[in-house]
Amino acid sequence: MRTVTFIDLFAGLGGTRIGFELACKEKNIIPKCVFTSEIKSSAIKAYKKNFHNDEVSWDITKIDVNGIPDFDYLLWWFPCQPFSSAGNRKWFLDRRGGLFFSIFHILQIKKPKGFLLENVEWLLNHDQWKTLKTMLTSLESLWYNVAYKLLDASNFWVPQRRKRVYIIWSYEKKPELTDFIYREKKVKEVIDMDYKFEENNFSKLLLRSFKYQDLWGKNIKDK
């Protein structure tokens, strides 16, 4: 079995890494994460718990690119707020949107075989596609073949409508985003009807204001 190395940037809790590792294993490939970056302390705490205390680096804009180990693929999920309908949509004028150019610099120096980018659907149509075109043109200047597609989580066994743009680049050949198995799942298929309500400080606070049966199926937000 061959080994594929990758780095996980803006890693969050590590969900993208899990998906990438599962996909590799389905192809009898051994995945090996050689570098991780995340700045949110609570996310770092969860990430280390999920991945056996893997080392997590801090601000990607302050890291010496030459100090990053060589890798085959880059997983890249930079903050969506500058591109989100819930944000101010300042795009590259927002520091978080400008993180694109930090990643571009890493690609210039390290030249991996390919990478995977995800962001919110608004990335597709802002300013009559000019934002996306700037990104594509910049990356294609590095001789990457590109493919992108808007996908909805509700089509992939998740009972939630969550549209995201997935962009893939590869040096070897133009990737395809067409060979998917679509299947919807209903909420009733995933609810744990017999799950015992866990007692902790948060649940005790909730039950001061709500009856247990009033919490079923509700969207509980931390106010």
Side-chain angles (χ1 to χ4, degrees), residues 191-206:
I191 291 180
D192 294 322
M193 300 300 293
D194 298 322
Y195 186 78
K196 185 178 179 181
F197 197 75
E198 180 181 344
E199 277 202 18
N200 53 41
N201 290 335
F202 181 62
S203 64
K204 289 176 182 177
L205 286 171
L206 281 175

Side-chain angles (χ1 to χ4, degrees), residues 25-212:
K25 290 172 183 177
E26 286 181 5
K27 299 293 184 181
N28 291 319
I29 297 171
I30 300 173
K32 182 180 179 182
C33 184
V34 297
F35 180 84
T36 303
S37 175
E38 171 58 51
I39 65 170
K40 192 173 183 178
S41 58
S42 56
I44 292 173
K45 183 178 179 181
Y47 190 95
K48 288 187 173 183
K49 183 176 181 180
N50 290 338
F51 298 102
H52 312 293
N53 288 314
D54 273 15
E55 185 65 30
V56 178
S57 297
W58 190 244
D59 189 342
I60 193 63
T61 65
K62 298 178 181 178
I63 293 172
D64 180 6
V65 175
N66 293 308
I68 298 175
D70 291 338
F71 58 92
D72 297 314
Y73 293 94
L74 185 151
L75 307 184
W76 169 17
W77 315 81
F78 66 87
C80 64
Q81 290 91 336
F83 305 96
S84 173
S85 61
N88 55 29
R89 302 194 202 179
K90 290 185 178 180
W91 312 94
F92 294 129
L93 297 178
D94 187 305
R95 176 184 176 276
R96 294 166 297 186
L99 287 168
F100 165 81
F101 298 106
S102 296
I103 307 306
F104 180 77
H105 181 56
I106 293 175
L107 294 170
Q108 278 183 309
I109 302 298
K110 306 303 287 188
K111 296 181 172 60
K113 294 178 180 177
F115 55 92
L116 174 63
L117 162 65
E118 176 265 358
N119 218 288
V120 293
E121 64 177 311
W122 293 97
L123 178 60
L124 283 179
N125 54 27
H126 175 258
D127 197 15
Q128 299 179 346
W129 293 76
K130 290 180 182 178
T131 301
L132 180 62
K133 186 177 180 180
T134 297
M135 295 174 66
L136 298 181
T137 302
S138 298
L139 293 161
E140 286 171 346
S141 71
L142 300 178
W143 304 102
Y144 281 105
N145 298 295
V146 59
Y148 61 91
K149 191 176 184 69
L150 181 66
L151 299 173
D152 190 336
S154 66
N155 292 320
F156 300 95
W157 299 278
V158 180
Q160 177 192 24
R161 295 202 178 280
R162 189 178 182 86
K163 294 181 179 180
R164 291 293 183 269
V165 179
Y166 289 85
I167 308 175
I168 296 179
W169 280 271
S170 173
Y171 262 142
E172 298 173 351
K173 63 179 182 179
K174 186 175 179 66
E176 295 183 3
L177 288 171
T178 56
D179 189 20
F180 295 116
I181 299 174
Y182 294 97
R183 181 195 160 195
E184 292 188 352
K185 182 173 280 191
K186 306 298 183 183
V187 172
K188 65 180 181 182
E189 296 181 65
V190 298
I191 291 180
D192 294 322
M193 300 300 293
D194 298 322
Y195 186 78
K196 185 178 179 181
F197 197 75
E198 180 181 344
E199 277 202 18
N200 53 41
N201 290 335
F202 181 62
S203 64
K204 289 176 182 177
L205 286 171
L206 281 175
L207 291 173
R208 288 182 187 177
S209 303
F210 303 95
K211 294 180 180 178
Y212 174 70

